[in-house]
Each structure stands twice: as C-alpha cells, then as structure tokens.
Short mmCIF file of all heavy atoms in Angstrom, two decimals:
data_model
loop_
_atom_site.label_atom_id
_atom_site.label_comp_id
_atom_site.label_asym_id
_atom_site.label_seq_id
_atom_site.Cartn_x
_atom_site.Cartn_y
_atom_site.Cartn_z
N THR A 974 -82.77 -11.99 62.07
CA THR A 974 -81.48 -12.66 62.21
C THR A 974 -80.42 -11.58 62.31
O THR A 974 -80.68 -10.40 62.09
CB THR A 974 -81.17 -13.55 61.01
OG1 THR A 974 -80.96 -12.73 59.86
CG2 THR A 974 -82.30 -14.54 60.73
N ALA A 975 -79.21 -12.01 62.61
CA ALA A 975 -78.10 -11.06 62.70
C ALA A 975 -77.85 -10.40 61.36
O ALA A 975 -77.23 -9.34 61.29
CB ALA A 975 -76.85 -11.77 63.18
N TYR A 976 -78.34 -10.99 60.30
CA TYR A 976 -78.07 -10.47 58.96
C TYR A 976 -79.21 -9.62 58.40
O TYR A 976 -79.16 -9.17 57.28
CB TYR A 976 -77.77 -11.63 58.00
CG TYR A 976 -76.62 -12.47 58.49
CD1 TYR A 976 -76.84 -13.70 59.07
CD2 TYR A 976 -75.31 -11.99 58.40
CE1 TYR A 976 -75.78 -14.47 59.54
CE2 TYR A 976 -74.25 -12.75 58.87
CZ TYR A 976 -74.49 -13.97 59.44
OH TYR A 976 -73.44 -14.72 59.91
N THR A 977 -80.25 -9.42 59.20
CA THR A 977 -81.38 -8.63 58.75
C THR A 977 -80.98 -7.17 58.63
O THR A 977 -80.33 -6.62 59.49
CB THR A 977 -82.56 -8.77 59.73
OG1 THR A 977 -82.89 -10.15 59.84
CG2 THR A 977 -83.77 -8.00 59.24
N ASP A 978 -81.37 -6.55 57.55
CA ASP A 978 -81.11 -5.14 57.33
C ASP A 978 -81.83 -4.30 58.37
O ASP A 978 -82.98 -4.55 58.72
CB ASP A 978 -81.59 -4.77 55.92
CG ASP A 978 -81.49 -3.29 55.64
OD1 ASP A 978 -80.37 -2.80 55.43
OD2 ASP A 978 -82.54 -2.64 55.65
N LEU A 979 -81.14 -3.27 58.89
CA LEU A 979 -81.71 -2.39 59.91
C LEU A 979 -83.07 -1.85 59.49
O LEU A 979 -84.04 -1.93 60.24
CB LEU A 979 -80.74 -1.23 60.18
CG LEU A 979 -81.27 -0.09 61.04
CD1 LEU A 979 -81.41 -0.55 62.48
CD2 LEU A 979 -80.37 1.12 60.95
N TRP A 980 -83.15 -1.29 58.28
CA TRP A 980 -84.39 -0.63 57.88
C TRP A 980 -85.49 -1.63 57.56
O TRP A 980 -86.67 -1.32 57.73
CB TRP A 980 -84.13 0.34 56.73
CG TRP A 980 -83.34 1.50 57.24
CD1 TRP A 980 -82.00 1.74 57.07
CD2 TRP A 980 -83.83 2.55 58.08
NE1 TRP A 980 -81.65 2.88 57.75
CE2 TRP A 980 -82.74 3.40 58.36
CE3 TRP A 980 -85.08 2.86 58.62
CZ2 TRP A 980 -82.87 4.54 59.16
CZ3 TRP A 980 -85.21 3.99 59.40
CH2 TRP A 980 -84.11 4.82 59.66
N THR A 981 -85.13 -2.84 57.16
CA THR A 981 -86.15 -3.88 56.98
C THR A 981 -86.75 -4.22 58.34
O THR A 981 -87.97 -4.35 58.48
CB THR A 981 -85.53 -5.14 56.34
OG1 THR A 981 -85.00 -4.78 55.06
CG2 THR A 981 -86.54 -6.25 56.21
N SER A 982 -85.89 -4.33 59.35
CA SER A 982 -86.39 -4.60 60.71
C SER A 982 -87.26 -3.47 61.21
O SER A 982 -88.30 -3.71 61.84
CB SER A 982 -85.21 -4.81 61.67
OG SER A 982 -84.50 -5.98 61.33
N VAL A 983 -86.86 -2.22 60.97
CA VAL A 983 -87.66 -1.07 61.39
C VAL A 983 -89.03 -1.12 60.71
O VAL A 983 -90.06 -0.92 61.36
CB VAL A 983 -86.93 0.26 61.10
CG1 VAL A 983 -87.86 1.45 61.27
CG2 VAL A 983 -85.70 0.40 62.00
N ASP A 984 -89.05 -1.39 59.40
CA ASP A 984 -90.32 -1.50 58.69
C ASP A 984 -91.18 -2.64 59.25
O ASP A 984 -92.39 -2.48 59.43
CB ASP A 984 -90.09 -1.71 57.20
CG ASP A 984 -89.65 -0.45 56.48
OD1 ASP A 984 -89.91 0.67 56.99
OD2 ASP A 984 -89.05 -0.57 55.39
N ASP A 985 -90.54 -3.78 59.53
CA ASP A 985 -91.28 -4.92 60.07
C ASP A 985 -91.87 -4.59 61.44
O ASP A 985 -93.03 -4.92 61.73
CB ASP A 985 -90.37 -6.15 60.20
CG ASP A 985 -90.00 -6.76 58.86
OD1 ASP A 985 -90.63 -6.42 57.84
OD2 ASP A 985 -89.07 -7.59 58.85
N LEU A 986 -91.08 -3.96 62.30
CA LEU A 986 -91.57 -3.59 63.63
C LEU A 986 -92.70 -2.57 63.53
O LEU A 986 -93.69 -2.66 64.26
CB LEU A 986 -90.43 -3.06 64.49
CG LEU A 986 -89.42 -4.11 64.95
CD1 LEU A 986 -88.17 -3.45 65.51
CD2 LEU A 986 -90.06 -5.05 65.97
N HIS A 987 -92.56 -1.62 62.61
CA HIS A 987 -93.61 -0.61 62.40
C HIS A 987 -94.91 -1.29 61.99
O HIS A 987 -95.99 -1.00 62.54
CB HIS A 987 -93.15 0.39 61.34
CG HIS A 987 -94.22 1.29 60.88
ND1 HIS A 987 -94.91 1.08 59.70
CD2 HIS A 987 -94.74 2.41 61.43
CE1 HIS A 987 -95.80 2.03 59.55
NE2 HIS A 987 -95.73 2.85 60.58
N THR A 988 -94.82 -2.21 61.06
CA THR A 988 -96.01 -2.93 60.58
C THR A 988 -96.62 -3.75 61.72
O THR A 988 -97.84 -3.74 61.91
CB THR A 988 -95.65 -3.84 59.39
OG1 THR A 988 -95.14 -3.02 58.34
CG2 THR A 988 -96.85 -4.63 58.91
N TRP A 989 -95.78 -4.45 62.46
CA TRP A 989 -96.25 -5.27 63.57
C TRP A 989 -96.95 -4.41 64.62
O TRP A 989 -98.03 -4.76 65.11
CB TRP A 989 -95.07 -6.04 64.18
CG TRP A 989 -95.42 -6.83 65.39
CD1 TRP A 989 -96.18 -7.98 65.43
CD2 TRP A 989 -95.05 -6.54 66.73
NE1 TRP A 989 -96.29 -8.41 66.74
CE2 TRP A 989 -95.59 -7.54 67.56
CE3 TRP A 989 -94.29 -5.54 67.32
CZ2 TRP A 989 -95.41 -7.57 68.93
CZ3 TRP A 989 -94.10 -5.57 68.69
CH2 TRP A 989 -94.67 -6.57 69.47
N LEU A 990 -96.35 -3.27 64.96
CA LEU A 990 -96.97 -2.38 65.94
C LEU A 990 -98.28 -1.80 65.43
O LEU A 990 -99.25 -1.70 66.18
CB LEU A 990 -96.01 -1.25 66.32
CG LEU A 990 -94.86 -1.66 67.23
CD1 LEU A 990 -93.83 -0.55 67.31
CD2 LEU A 990 -95.37 -2.03 68.61
N ASP A 991 -98.31 -1.41 64.15
CA ASP A 991 -99.55 -0.88 63.59
C ASP A 991 -100.67 -1.92 63.60
O ASP A 991 -101.83 -1.60 63.83
CB ASP A 991 -99.33 -0.38 62.15
CG ASP A 991 -98.87 1.06 62.11
OD1 ASP A 991 -98.73 1.69 63.18
OD2 ASP A 991 -98.63 1.56 61.00
N THR A 992 -100.31 -3.17 63.37
CA THR A 992 -101.29 -4.25 63.37
C THR A 992 -101.84 -4.49 64.77
O THR A 992 -102.99 -4.89 64.93
CB THR A 992 -100.65 -5.55 62.84
OG1 THR A 992 -100.16 -5.31 61.52
CG2 THR A 992 -101.63 -6.70 62.80
N ASN A 993 -101.04 -4.23 65.78
CA ASN A 993 -101.40 -4.57 67.16
C ASN A 993 -101.64 -3.36 68.06
O ASN A 993 -101.72 -3.53 69.28
CB ASN A 993 -100.30 -5.45 67.76
CG ASN A 993 -100.23 -6.78 67.07
OD1 ASN A 993 -101.07 -7.63 67.27
ND2 ASN A 993 -99.24 -6.95 66.22
N ARG A 994 -101.75 -2.19 67.51
CA ARG A 994 -101.91 -1.01 68.38
C ARG A 994 -103.34 -0.92 68.92
O ARG A 994 -104.31 -1.09 68.18
CB ARG A 994 -101.51 0.27 67.65
CG ARG A 994 -102.44 0.65 66.54
CD ARG A 994 -102.04 1.96 65.92
NE ARG A 994 -102.73 2.08 64.65
CZ ARG A 994 -102.27 2.72 63.63
NH1 ARG A 994 -101.12 3.33 63.70
NH2 ARG A 994 -102.95 2.78 62.52
N PRO A 995 -103.43 -0.62 70.21
CA PRO A 995 -104.76 -0.50 70.80
C PRO A 995 -105.41 0.86 70.55
O PRO A 995 -106.62 0.99 70.67
CB PRO A 995 -104.50 -0.71 72.30
CG PRO A 995 -103.09 -0.31 72.49
CD PRO A 995 -102.37 -0.59 71.19
N VAL A 996 -104.60 1.87 70.18
CA VAL A 996 -105.12 3.23 69.98
C VAL A 996 -104.68 3.71 68.60
O VAL A 996 -103.50 3.65 68.25
CB VAL A 996 -104.59 4.19 71.07
CG1 VAL A 996 -105.11 5.59 70.85
CG2 VAL A 996 -104.95 3.69 72.46
N ASP A 997 -105.63 4.21 67.81
CA ASP A 997 -105.34 4.70 66.46
C ASP A 997 -105.26 6.21 66.43
O ASP A 997 -105.48 6.90 67.42
CB ASP A 997 -106.46 4.26 65.49
CG ASP A 997 -106.42 2.78 65.20
OD1 ASP A 997 -105.32 2.21 65.20
OD2 ASP A 997 -107.50 2.20 64.96
N GLY A 998 -104.97 6.72 65.24
CA GLY A 998 -105.02 8.15 64.99
C GLY A 998 -103.92 8.93 65.68
O GLY A 998 -102.86 8.42 66.01
N GLY A 999 -104.22 10.21 65.90
CA GLY A 999 -103.25 11.13 66.49
C GLY A 999 -102.81 10.71 67.88
O GLY A 999 -101.64 10.85 68.25
N GLU A 1000 -103.74 10.18 68.65
CA GLU A 1000 -103.39 9.74 70.00
C GLU A 1000 -102.41 8.56 69.94
O GLU A 1000 -101.45 8.49 70.71
CB GLU A 1000 -104.65 9.34 70.77
CG GLU A 1000 -104.37 9.03 72.22
CD GLU A 1000 -105.64 8.69 73.00
OE1 GLU A 1000 -106.76 8.77 72.44
OE2 GLU A 1000 -105.49 8.35 74.18
N GLY A 1001 -102.63 7.64 69.02
CA GLY A 1001 -101.72 6.51 68.85
C GLY A 1001 -100.33 6.96 68.44
O GLY A 1001 -99.32 6.43 68.92
N LEU A 1002 -100.28 7.96 67.56
CA LEU A 1002 -99.00 8.51 67.14
C LEU A 1002 -98.26 9.13 68.33
O LEU A 1002 -97.08 8.88 68.54
CB LEU A 1002 -99.22 9.57 66.05
CG LEU A 1002 -97.99 10.37 65.63
CD1 LEU A 1002 -96.95 9.48 64.99
CD2 LEU A 1002 -98.42 11.48 64.69
N LEU A 1003 -98.97 9.93 69.12
CA LEU A 1003 -98.35 10.55 70.29
C LEU A 1003 -97.85 9.50 71.29
O LEU A 1003 -96.76 9.63 71.84
CB LEU A 1003 -99.33 11.49 70.98
CG LEU A 1003 -99.70 12.75 70.20
CD1 LEU A 1003 -100.78 13.53 70.94
CD2 LEU A 1003 -98.48 13.62 69.95
N LEU A 1004 -98.63 8.46 71.49
CA LEU A 1004 -98.23 7.41 72.42
C LEU A 1004 -96.98 6.68 71.93
O LEU A 1004 -96.10 6.33 72.72
CB LEU A 1004 -99.37 6.42 72.65
CG LEU A 1004 -100.54 6.98 73.45
CD1 LEU A 1004 -101.72 6.02 73.42
CD2 LEU A 1004 -100.11 7.27 74.87
#
C-alpha cells in the first residue's frame, strides 16, 4: 500500500524473488 515502509517492501520483494528464482548460488546473485 502507499503506507508500506520502504524497507519492509524491499525485504518482501527479496523474499519473493528468493522463493521464485530459477538460478541459485553465485550465479543467481550475479544475475
């Protein structure tokens, strides 16, 4: 929402991306 804290959103997006990433490890980090 418009009232969501920036860093909460960043953490949520990070978690969502980690859950759905097709490539793990160092290669995933670089991508």
Side-chain angles (χ1 to χ4, degrees):
T974 68
Y976 303 104
T977 302
D978 174 75
L979 170 71
W980 290 103
T981 300
S982 294
V983 169
D984 285 339
D985 289 347
L986 289 167
H987 170 261
T988 300
W989 176 71
L990 286 168
D991 272 359
T992 302
N993 294 286
R994 68 177 165 210
V996 179
D997 288 329
E1000 187 178 356
L1002 172 64
L1003 292 175
L1004 290 170

